[in-house]
Amino acid sequence: MIALFSLTLVVFASSLQVKAQDIGSRIKVYANRGDNITLPCRLEGQSSMFVNRIKWTKLEDNSTKTDVLISMGFHKRTYGNFQNRVYLLEVDDNDATLVITNLELNDYGTYRCEIINGMNDKIVEVDLELQGEVSLSFTGVVFPYSPRLGRYNLNFQDAEAACLEQDAVVASFEQLYGEWRNGMDWCNAGWLNDGTVQYPITKPREPCGGARTSAGLRTYGRQDKSNSRYDVFCFTASIRGRFYYLIQPKRLNFDEAVDACKRDGAEIAKVGHIYAAWKLLGYDHCDAGWLADGSVRYPISRPRKNCSPTEAAVRFVGFPDKKQKLYGVYCYKPQL
């Protein structure tokens, strides 16, 4: 007989000390990027057991599974990006708890633990989420994103890939709601990680749901993940390195910008980097610079004349012709 338990896991974790929050019949564990965290799984009610196999997999949104770890007695194997970063805690014979070290953005999601001992098998599902969802005062930033092709060109899978390419993940409702509470106003609808499409409005107006409606999150509800196309709201929780504007004697085209960062021992920065540096570090620079996706932006945390005079923001210049030598470049040196 298989007992099925569904847990939503959220961790406040540093090292292996986990503070779990029980929300009704579900448990959420939130973790920060870079943490070492534990995903609980054990067979209760037995003083000892003989486990034939323990299998951990990650459940993807497209219904596929990614193997994480398989244990059969003394033989253990880890897979893909999880190699050398995961292991079993094994505090006793009943314990199948998984430890993930140096948590990365694409580690977040749903995990399945299967314990097979031939008599009382067990399945546990665990949702691992960013700590940013714990409260409205999260240490992270939500930013809207659309690709060079223009607005409303991303299905859900494209949206997930677009955020990951910019050092971020698709934002949750709670994260977008928290950003709206902090004043975010954006009239283009974007995907959230639950498959809904929404957008935040603090100043109601006709083109954005109507001038007579209340401020809030406008929602289109759940959409077809394969065929519906929108923008996306991305979330990044930290910046683990140095973000900076590279001083150059002349303006650069895109290829020259990439090479300039490489010569400085860095890489061209991503959109997630510029938003994290702006929001979390107060980074402020009035020169427009190339980013890795081919866009040109600049971060202003102190509004002033000729530099976003009305509000603090990451200003978007656009996706110019990559051959134009009109801009500087923002670079990023990952923390080693």
Side-chain angles (χ1 to χ4, degrees), residues 59-123:
L59 308 182
E60 308 295 348
D61 286 324
N62 59 3
S63 300
T64 62
K65 298 178 183 178
T66 299
D67 288 337
V68 177
L69 178 148
I70 295 178
S71 172
M72 300 179 68
F74 294 107
H75 302 285
K76 296 178 174 61
R77 182 178 178 183
T78 57
Y79 295 85
N81 188 45
F82 295 100
Q83 290 185 24
N84 302 318
R85 292 199 304 120
V86 300
Y87 60 91
L88 296 177
L89 193 58
E90 297 180 313
V91 296
D92 56 41
D93 290 340
N94 292 348
D95 189 27
T97 295
L98 182 73
V99 179
I100 305 178
T101 63
N102 191 23
L103 203 64
E104 300 176 358
L105 281 173
N106 55 359
D107 290 336
Y108 295 99
T110 301
Y111 291 79
R112 174 175 290 173
C113 168
E114 300 174 61
I115 302 176
I116 300 172
N117 76 338
M119 295 182 61
N120 295 302
D121 300 344
K122 183 175 181 179
I123 294 175

Side-chain angles (χ1 to χ4, degrees), residues 243-245 261 268-269 285 287 289-291 297-299 329-331:
F243 172 86
Y244 61 101
Y245 182 83
C261 288
I268 188 169
H285 196 87
D287 290 310
W290 292 102
L291 295 176
R297 308 174 195 245
Y298 60 99
V329 62
Y330 288 96
C331 300

Side-chain angles (χ1 to χ4, degrees), residues 44-62:
E44 301 288 357
Q46 300 185 30
S47 58
S48 64
M49 68 176 185
F50 177 74
V51 175
N52 291 326
R53 188 175 74 156
I54 297 170
K55 182 177 182 180
W56 277 94
T57 54
K58 187 172 185 286
L59 308 182
E60 308 295 348
D61 286 324
N62 59 3

Side-chain angles (χ1 to χ4, degrees), residues 64-298:
T64 62
K65 298 178 183 178
T66 299
D67 288 337
V68 177
L69 178 148
I70 295 178
S71 172
M72 300 179 68
F74 294 107
H75 302 285
K76 296 178 174 61
R77 182 178 178 183
T78 57
Y79 295 85
N81 188 45
F82 295 100
Q83 290 185 24
N84 302 318
R85 292 199 304 120
V86 300
Y87 60 91
L88 296 177
L89 193 58
E90 297 180 313
V91 296
D92 56 41
D93 290 340
N94 292 348
D95 189 27
T97 295
L98 182 73
V99 179
I100 305 178
T101 63
N102 191 23
L103 203 64
E104 300 176 358
L105 281 173
N106 55 359
D107 290 336
Y108 295 99
T110 301
Y111 291 79
R112 174 175 290 173
C113 168
E114 300 174 61
I115 302 176
I116 300 172
N117 76 338
M119 295 182 61
N120 295 302
D121 300 344
K122 183 175 181 179
I123 294 175
V124 176
E125 290 187 356
V126 176
D127 288 338
L128 175 62
E129 302 180 14
L130 281 169
Q131 182 171 332
E133 297 186 20
V134 173
S135 71
L136 298 182
S137 60
F138 56 78
T139 55
V141 57
V142 173
F143 59 93
Y145 188 79
S146 58
R148 175 179 287 273
L149 292 173
R151 60 179 292 201
Y152 295 173
N153 269 289
L154 303 171
N155 66 20
F156 186 78
Q157 290 74 30
D158 295 334
E160 288 184 309
C163 288
L164 282 175
E165 287 172 0
Q166 302 312 317
D167 198 51
V169 294
V170 180
S172 69
F173 170 84
E174 291 83 0
Q175 289 159 352
L176 184 62
Y177 178 75
E179 204 70 65
W180 169 76
R181 288 282 301 269
N182 288 331
M184 186 178 193
D185 184 281
W186 193 257
C187 201
N188 291 349
W191 290 103
L192 297 180
N193 67 2
D194 60 0
T196 62
V197 173
Q198 308 193 37
Y199 61 100
I201 296 297
T202 57
K203 302 172 223 175
R205 52 202 183 274
E206 285 303 328
C208 305
R212 297 183 179 180
T213 57
S214 300
L217 295 188
R218 308 278 194 261
T219 181
Y220 292 172
R222 294 186 184 276
Q223 297 292 308
D224 185 320
K225 289 184 175 181
S226 296
N227 297 317
S228 298
R229 295 184 179 273
Y230 296 94
D231 293 345
V232 61
F233 289 100
C234 302
F235 176 82
T236 189
S238 63
I239 183 164
R240 301 178 63 81
R242 179 189 170 212
F243 172 86
Y244 61 101
Y245 182 83
L246 182 62
I247 303 298
Q248 292 285 286
K250 61 180 181 178
R251 300 296 183 180
L252 308 170
N253 64 29
F254 179 77
D255 290 340
E256 291 170 340
V258 172
D259 290 340
C261 288
K262 287 182 179 179
R263 288 196 303 272
D264 203 50
E267 62 190 51
I268 188 169
K270 300 177 179 180
V271 177
H273 296 149
I274 195 171
Y275 271 97
W278 166 72
K279 179 69 177 287
L280 306 179
L281 304 178
Y283 193 91
D284 181 284
H285 196 87
C286 200
D287 290 310
W290 292 102
L291 295 176
D293 67 339
S295 67
V296 172
R297 308 174 195 245
Y298 60 99

